[in-house]
Amino acid sequence: MKNSTVMTEFIFAGITHDPQLQIPLFLVFTLIYLLTLVGNLGVVTLILLDSRLHTPMYLFLSHLSLMDFGYSTAVTPKVMAGFLMEDKVISYNACAAQFFFFAVFLAVDTFLLSSMAHDRHAAVCKPLHYTNIMTPRVCAWMVVGCYVLGFLVASVHTWNAFSLSFCRSNVIDHFFCDVTPVLALSCSDSNRSEMVFFVLVSVNIIFTIMVILVSYLFIFVTILRVRSSEGHQKAFSTCASHLTSISIFYGAGAFMYLQPGSRHSMDTDKMASVCYAVVIPMLNPLIYSLRNREVKSALTKAVGKAKSSLRFIS
């Protein structure tokens, strides 16, 4: 990396400088992170323990929950620590690592969401051939592909950002190492890096959204051919949670990363980043569990077993 010795550490500006808000925000972020941890790891645990959930859809959902937990963990604990410390310092290498892992988890998330759309297309449009299309081998390769592509995308983004020279202020006007505030500190010409980032993110989003849109186009055509209202309801309930998650995820992502650099307002970006990096990972387990009978049934069964075990012990 060029001139990496010039900058050895960065300082986060944080979300707010108001000292009276530090403790309340720490408590709020701690609550959100605990809900994220319990919700996402709870979903993974339910899927592992309940054999009824050993299907392709829940395989993808378990990995989606791991990614949500991962990219929240890459950001939130450091933010929580910052609320309690006067200096919000992060080393150069730790900043690059945070940037990389956040990008990995986020990129894998996008590919998993498109894989889930393909799975829903096979389930609704070709139910008789579903088990032949979505075999365990095919599902395993799809998951591996999501991780490989996510790793490659994140590696390019990290190299693209941290190969620049940093010799200006070391204050990052943000609460974590995100691409826009990091590039703003570079004393190199960052136009090429900004363009590479914009193109890669655009290609990633367009590719995954096209897979999702084409899948759901065929799903809606199939639903329109179903005459019974019960069939309509079953098909919509199968896809509703996934569509809700996609809308929130891509809506926030497009707002964050597909704006020209000149139009970025850091205060607005900070608020959008709180939603994107902190709140959304907490919401996904709620979206998939509250609207899903099988998950609710597995949760009820697990709670029942836990109560029975406690009674036996006592």
Side-chain angles (χ1 to χ4, degrees):
M1 294 184 182
K2 299 176 183 177
N3 296 337
S4 60
T5 56
V6 173
M7 193 72 68
T8 59
E9 63 182 25
F10 297 103
I11 301 172
F12 293 125
I15 294 175
T16 179
H17 298 291
D18 189 340
Q20 295 182 343
L21 292 178
Q22 301 301 309
I23 298 301
L25 285 173
F26 170 77
L27 296 175
V28 170
F29 274 68
T30 300
L31 177 61
I32 291 174
Y33 183 65
L34 289 175
L35 291 173
T36 301
L37 187 152
V38 172
N40 284 289
L41 296 187
V43 168
V44 173
T45 303
L46 280 178
I47 292 171
L48 287 173
L49 295 179
D50 197 313
S51 59
R52 294 172 299 175
L53 302 181
H54 293 175
T55 64
M57 182 176 77
Y58 293 109
L59 170 68
F60 294 125
L61 178 56
S62 64
H63 286 277
L64 187 72
S65 294
L66 283 176
M67 294 305 101
D68 286 341
F69 171 68
Y71 78 78
S72 176
T73 300
V75 173
T76 311
K78 184 64 178 176
V79 178
M80 290 160 53
F83 289 131
L84 300 179
M85 300 164 62
E86 290 184 4
D87 58 335
K88 304 171 183 179
V89 178
I90 186 170
S91 70
Y92 179 93
N93 290 334
C95 183
Q98 185 187 58
F99 184 101
F100 173 76
F101 284 111
F102 182 75
V104 166
F105 295 132
L106 211 57
V108 174
D109 232 355
T110 63
F111 295 120
L112 284 171
L113 286 170
S114 61
S115 298
M116 292 172 77
H118 173 70
D119 172 69
R120 293 301 82 206
H121 165 262
V124 174
C125 300
K126 301 178 180 180
L128 298 179
H129 302 284
Y130 179 69
T131 54
N132 293 326
I133 296 172
M134 301 300 294
T135 63
R137 183 183 179 84
V138 168
C139 293
W141 277 112
M142 288 176 70
V143 170
V144 170
C146 291
Y147 280 93
V148 170
L149 288 173
F151 179 85
L152 291 174
V153 167
S155 298
V156 173
H157 284 318
T158 305
W159 175 86
N160 187 47
F162 287 88
S163 62
L164 299 173
S165 299
F166 297 95
C167 50
R168 294 177 181 172
S169 167
N170 68 337
V171 178
I172 296 177
D173 191 11
H174 214 320
F175 57 89
F176 74 101
C177 294
D178 202 7
V179 62
T180 303
V182 167
L183 291 181
L185 300 182
S186 173
C187 52
S188 307
D189 183 5
S190 62
N191 289 331
R192 179 190 62 83
S193 294
E194 289 178 359
M195 182 58 66
V196 169
F197 177 80
F198 184 82
V199 169
L200 281 177
V201 170
S202 299
V203 169
N204 187 356
I205 289 178
I206 290 170
F207 170 74
T208 53
I209 283 183
M210 283 301 298
V211 172
I212 292 167
L213 289 177
V214 170
S215 297
Y216 274 101
L217 176 63
F218 283 108
I219 287 171
F220 288 136
V221 169
T222 301
I223 289 174
L224 291 176
R225 292 175 180 172
V226 177
R227 295 183 179 181
S228 67
S229 58
E230 183 181 348
H232 285 170
Q233 186 177 0
K234 183 177 180 181
F236 276 118
S237 65
T238 301
C239 304
S241 299
H242 186 233
L243 280 173
T244 304
S245 180
I246 286 170
S247 301
I248 296 172
F249 183 85
Y250 279 100
F255 179 82
M256 275 295 301
Y257 297 116
L258 292 183
Q259 297 182 70
S262 59
R263 293 181 57 187
H264 272 273
S265 163
M266 290 315 301
D267 289 337
T268 304
D269 278 4
K270 286 179 188 179
M271 294 304 102
S273 294
V274 169
C275 173
Y276 196 62
V278 180
V279 177
I280 288 179
M282 176 193 69
L283 293 179
N284 275 340
L286 297 175
I287 292 170
Y288 283 100
S289 60
L290 292 178
R291 301 182 64 94
N292 191 300
R293 292 179 183 177
E294 291 172 319
V295 173
K296 286 191 286 187
S297 174
L299 179 60
T300 303
K301 182 181 176 182
V303 171
K305 284 184 176 180
K307 286 181 178 179
S308 299
S309 298
L310 289 174
R311 286 173 189 166
F312 178 77
I313 293 171
S314 61

